[in-house]
Amino acid sequence: MVETSDKWIFERTGIRQRHIVDKGVAASHLAVEAANKALRERGISGSEVEAIFLATVTPDMMFPATACLVQDRLGAKGAWGYDISAACSGFVYALQTGTKFVESGVHKKVLVIGSDVMSSIIDYTDRATCVIFGDGAGAVVIEPATDDNYLIDFLHEVDGSGGCSLNMPAGGSLNPSTHETVDKKMHYVHQDGQAVFKYAVRKMAEASDTLLKRNGFSAKDVALFVPHQANKRIICSSAERLGLRDDQVIINIDEYGNTTAGTIPLALDSARQQGRLKKGDLVLLAAVGAGFTVGATLLRWAC
Ligand SMILES: CC(C)(COP(=O)(O)OP(=O)(O)OC[C@H]1O[C@@H](n2cnc3c(N)ncnc32)[C@H](O)[C@@H]1OP(=O)(O)O)[C@@H](O)C(=O)NCCC(=O)NCCS
């Protein structure tokens, strides 16, 4: 489709493959599948879910929220929820939202989902973006802590001056859909790759470092660093700045590409499957995304 090579893609991004949905499959479908898997593992039925926070930049529609479509299909009668738009930081932001409702005692079973069908907004004639993004979703269930394993702290930051570096210009109230917006390819992802790259490396490390230090930890205490999977070079540079060894970092971008809100829960799943997450492990999540949005979370793995 574009002038590129497997060699270029792998060397510059670390990506070997991406997954693209079939026609008619939307973010809600991936979200329901991920949510059902997570609920099954915990032995929880959909009807027990009290709230759903769903991170996505590719909702099925502008409204209703994809969280509502998911609630219905899960049979989560009585649950409430909404979508969170924070691009690649969406999952960590949704995780905090869900956690706060559990910590405050308001809810006991909350679903947090990251789901994106990036193929629906990618221009497959733009080699700078089409080789990076893929479709994917992941979900976690948040329940009250029964021991010392809990979400320790988080650090979130947005810098709206970076909005021009990564966006989808049309389809919202500023540029409603017209023939012209379609002709000008304004419904696709537009990205200044280098600007995003530089910001991501700096902020992912900075936010993680601040979070560790203010909680009295250093890099050697981290059992697993779970970074947003945007580019292997961004992950490795951030890890190096933090002083982390390779065995402390989970990388699965080779398998999925950048699935936006899906990357961190997918990476957690890869880590579990590889036996790299044990009860009590100190886990550091970090993401940078369009906005710019920055998020880092420090937690002790609970199961
Ligand atoms: C997009 C990205 C992979 C490009 O890699 P890069 O090393 O920065 O590449 P550059 O943009 O400097 O381009 C270098 C050259 O490769 C070319 N190139 C870009 N994409 C290419 C592709 N898929 N195949 C072959 N060549 C490509 C460019 O045209 C440029 O050619 P030129 O030197 O003749 O002008 C990289 O900038 C990146 O990952 N940025 C962050 C993206 C991101 O994380 N987005 C999500 C935010 S969470």
Side-chain angles (χ1 to χ4, degrees), residues 87-271:
C88 299
S89 305
F91 180 79
V92 285
Y93 284 16
L95 188 65
Q96 277 310 321
T97 308
T99 300
K100 293 299 169 229
F101 282 102
V102 173
E103 280 176 359
S104 63
V106 172
H107 293 311
K108 290 200 162 48
K109 287 180 175 48
V110 172
L111 256 179
V112 171
I113 309 171
S115 182
D116 268 306
V117 174
M118 296 306 290
S119 60
S120 64
I121 56 168
I122 290 296
D123 174 5
Y124 284 95
T125 65
D126 174 13
R127 68 179 181 174
T129 52
C130 75
V131 302
I132 300 174
F133 293 97
D135 303 336
V140 299
V141 180
I142 306 179
E143 295 170 85
T146 50
D147 46 29
D148 279 347
N149 301 312
Y150 52 86
L151 215 145
I152 299 166
D153 195 8
F154 73 99
L155 193 159
H156 290 172
E157 203 179 304
V158 301
D159 177 359
S161 69
C164 51
S165 298
L166 183 52
N167 59 22
M168 190 178 90
S173 52
L174 181 63
N175 295 302
S177 312
T178 61
H179 286 292
E180 193 190 356
T181 61
V182 173
D183 291 343
K184 287 185 170 167
K185 300 188 170 195
M186 290 167 74
H187 297 269
Y188 290 130
V189 171
H190 290 247
Q191 172 173 268
D192 176 349
Q194 287 193 10
V196 177
F197 190 99
K198 285 180 197 149
Y199 187 82
V201 170
R202 183 166 62 83
K203 293 305 286 192
M204 206 125 94
E206 203 178 283
S208 300
D209 189 49
T210 306
L211 193 58
L212 283 173
K213 283 192 179 132
R214 80 180 183 198
N215 286 281
F217 295 112
S218 68
K220 67 173 176 8
D221 300 311
V222 175
L224 199 66
F225 177 49
V226 185
H228 167 54
Q229 311 279 313
N231 184 318
K232 190 176 175 187
R233 290 185 294 135
I234 295 178
I235 297 172
C236 294
S237 304
S238 310
E240 197 182 309
R241 283 178 186 218
L242 284 166
L244 293 164
R245 301 181 311 272
D246 290 355
D247 64 301
Q248 290 173 288
V249 185
I250 182 85
I251 300 179
N252 70 354
I253 190 170
D254 51 322
E255 287 180 69
Y256 301 109
N258 182 350
T259 57
T260 304
T263 66
I264 289 185
L266 283 172
L268 286 171
D269 190 51
S270 294

Side-chain angles (χ1 to χ4, degrees), residues 280-291:
D281 274 353
L282 187 68
V283 178
L284 175 65
L285 316 177
V288 168

